[in-house]
Amino acid sequence: MNRPKLKQWQEPVNIDAYPVGSTCPSDHLTSINAGWRTYRPVIDTDKCVMCLRCFLLCPDGVIDKSGEKLVIDYDYCKGCGICAHECKPGCIEMVKEEK
Ligand code: SF4
Ligand code: SF4
């Protein structure tokens, strides 16, 4: 999956360095998931009917549908659970992250 370019946050050194509006250009992300996700979605690909509801509703666009089966990019998934909530066949389970 092609991901946006990363731009790390840098503490502004003076008032002029504070951003007006967005902190980085569109097509950039500030960083990958820093480990604060407590649950991760796991897709039962055998049960999945490829309706793509999860793909369409994921607010972060981290579900890749380019292959035969869906793949979640866990570097960017925040674990919000919307995909699991919206999967009508119930084939996405939110699994607690291990340390
Ligand atoms: S948990 Fe949220 S961010 Fe992660 S794949 Fe599901 S909808 Fe997208
Ligand atoms: S919503 Fe559920 S059934 Fe539909 S594509 Fe996603 S995982 Fe598969």
Side-chain angles (χ1 to χ4, degrees), residues 43 48-54 70 87 89 91-92:
I43 300 175
C48 173
V49 297
M50 288 297 270
C51 67
L52 298 185
R53 192 171 165 83
C54 58
L70 297 181
C87 175
C91 46
I92 303 182

Side-chain angles (χ1 to χ4, degrees), residues 73-87:
D73 186 343
Y74 291 115
D75 275 351
Y76 295 96
C77 165
K78 63 188 171 196
C80 64
I82 290 174
C83 54
H85 186 266
E86 296 298 332
C87 175

Side-chain angles (χ1 to χ4, degrees), residues 7-24:
K7 182 173 182 186
Q8 293 298 326
W9 165 256
Q10 291 185 338
E11 194 73 33
V13 290
N14 56 43
I15 190 69
D16 291 333
Y18 276 88
V20 178
S22 171
T23 56
C24 61

